[in-house]
Amino acid sequence: MNRFQDFLSQIKHDLHHHSLQVFWAKYQKVLMAVGVTIILFIGLGVYTATQLFGVPSNQQDLIAKDSELLDTALALENDVSTGSSVTSEESIASLEESTAKTATSVIVSSSVSSQPVTWYVDVKGAVRVPQVVPVTEGMRIHDAIALAGGLTPDADQAQVNLAQLVTDQMVIYVPKTGEEVQASVTSLVEATQSTQTSSDGANASISGKDEAQKININTADANELQNLSGIGEKRAADIIQYREINGPFETIDDLDKVSGIGEKTMENLRDFIVVK
């Protein structure tokens, strides 16, 4: 410990009593080794930050930059050990540039991923400032009302679910005490509140409708089977006979096990049959 303190004192003395050129010539290897160590820690810190907080879509780019940063640092360390001052200075400049680029990428990625999406809801009725207010996902009706100035003294809170989550383009109507809400207003509010649920279930409804129109080859009789393209009276009888002997079809593809039904027929039937 005393030796280290003496060494630091010597460095301080030389720094004050010698020119920078002399000081650099005397302590060049020491200063460059310290610089390399600091830059290595910066690179490892940036790498750790990208692993913990980096955006998945940009993660591979950040890891590649960190790898380049560490490679440059190792090359610089090798230059110091071999005493090549010109190459070391070039490596330091390259390493500093790589560090700056990597740090900038982390900052930009974090800011993009944390930026919330803005929605707008229409707050009407017994509020102090009826207006369209900006909201974000996760906010509730009482937050939107607060942005509209809050409730008026004659507002009937019992008719409003203040804890409900808001959705984009939502209409929030707060009636006054004793007010009979018009049917048109009620329908508008209910429609906006159910928009999200309806849109989420739209695809499922369409899919369910298509499934209902398909013919279940495990329960269909001969007449139903003959409604399928390429299935006549004989093929329908063969399908029913196969079910009676082998049991119900487990998958649609099992239908090609029936005599006379080939690959081309299967392709024509696939979108019109179902197995239940």
Side-chain angles (χ1 to χ4, degrees):
M1 186 66 180
N2 291 333
R3 289 183 179 180
F4 182 70
Q5 291 177 346
D6 293 340
F7 180 69
L8 292 179
S9 298
Q10 182 64 38
I11 291 178
K12 184 176 180 182
H13 176 271
D14 291 340
L15 182 61
H16 285 85
H17 293 83
H18 297 288
S19 64
L20 290 178
Q21 290 81 359
V22 175
F23 182 82
W24 173 253
K26 185 175 182 179
Y27 295 104
Q28 177 181 1
K29 290 186 177 181
V30 174
L31 293 175
M32 294 190 70
V34 172
V36 169
T37 303
I38 293 174
I39 295 174
L40 279 173
F41 274 109
I42 293 175
L44 291 174
V46 172
Y47 178 81
T48 303
T50 59
Q51 293 297 309
L52 296 176
F53 309 109
V55 181
S57 60
N58 297 332
Q59 189 174 14
Q60 293 183 350
D61 293 337
L62 295 176
I63 291 176
K65 291 178 181 178
D66 292 330
S67 178
E68 179 183 352
L69 184 66
L70 292 176
D71 290 342
T72 306
L74 291 174
L76 178 57
E77 185 177 9
N78 182 62
D79 292 338
V80 172
S81 63
T82 57
S84 177
S85 59
V86 175
T87 305
S88 298
E89 292 174 0
E90 295 176 352
S91 299
I92 288 175
S94 176
L95 187 56
E96 289 176 347
E97 182 180 357
S98 299
T99 303
K101 289 182 179 179
T102 305
T104 301
S105 299
V106 174
I107 293 172
V108 171
S109 298
S110 300
S111 63
V112 171
S113 62
S114 61
Q115 184 176 3
V117 177
T118 301
W119 293 342
Y120 292 92
V121 299
D122 190 2
V123 186
K124 303 175 180 291
V127 293
R128 297 187 184 278
V129 188
Q131 60 179 319
V132 175
V133 298
V135 296
T136 56
E137 185 177 4
M139 294 180 67
R140 301 183 183 271
I141 285 182
H142 73 84
D143 297 319
I145 291 175
L147 292 174
L151 297 170
T152 59
D154 56 349
D156 187 359
Q157 299 185 42
Q159 298 192 52
V160 182
N161 181 7
L162 298 176
Q164 181 180 344
L165 289 168
V166 300
T167 58
D168 191 23
Q169 304 180 34
M170 184 179 192
V171 175
I172 301 172
Y173 184 82
V174 182
K176 296 180 180 179
T177 302
E179 177 184 359
E180 294 184 3
V181 181
Q182 298 179 1
S184 59
V185 174
T186 303
S187 298
L188 178 61
V189 174
E190 291 177 349
T192 57
Q193 292 176 350
S194 62
T195 297
Q196 185 175 17
T197 303
S198 299
S199 61
D200 290 342
N203 292 334
S205 298
I206 294 173
S207 176
K209 183 178 180 180
D210 291 342
E211 289 294 320
Q213 294 176 347
K214 293 181 179 181
I215 293 178
N216 184 357
I217 57 176
N218 278 332
T219 59
D221 58 23
N223 292 329
E224 291 175 319
L225 291 172
Q226 290 179 56
N227 290 327
L228 295 170
S229 175
I231 302 298
E233 182 177 353
K234 184 178 186 308
R235 290 287 174 269
D238 291 339
I239 293 173
I240 295 174
Q241 182 181 14
Y242 180 92
R243 287 192 327 223
E244 293 174 348
I245 297 174
N246 301 283
F249 296 99
E250 295 183 359
T251 66
I252 291 176
D253 293 330
D254 288 342
L255 187 60
D256 65 3
K257 296 178 181 179
V258 177
S259 177
I261 297 181
E263 182 177 349
K264 186 176 181 179
T265 303
M266 283 295 303
E267 290 301 320
N268 294 332
L269 295 176
R270 192 175 299 279
D271 293 334
F272 302 97
I273 59 176
V274 67
V275 171
K276 294 182 181 179

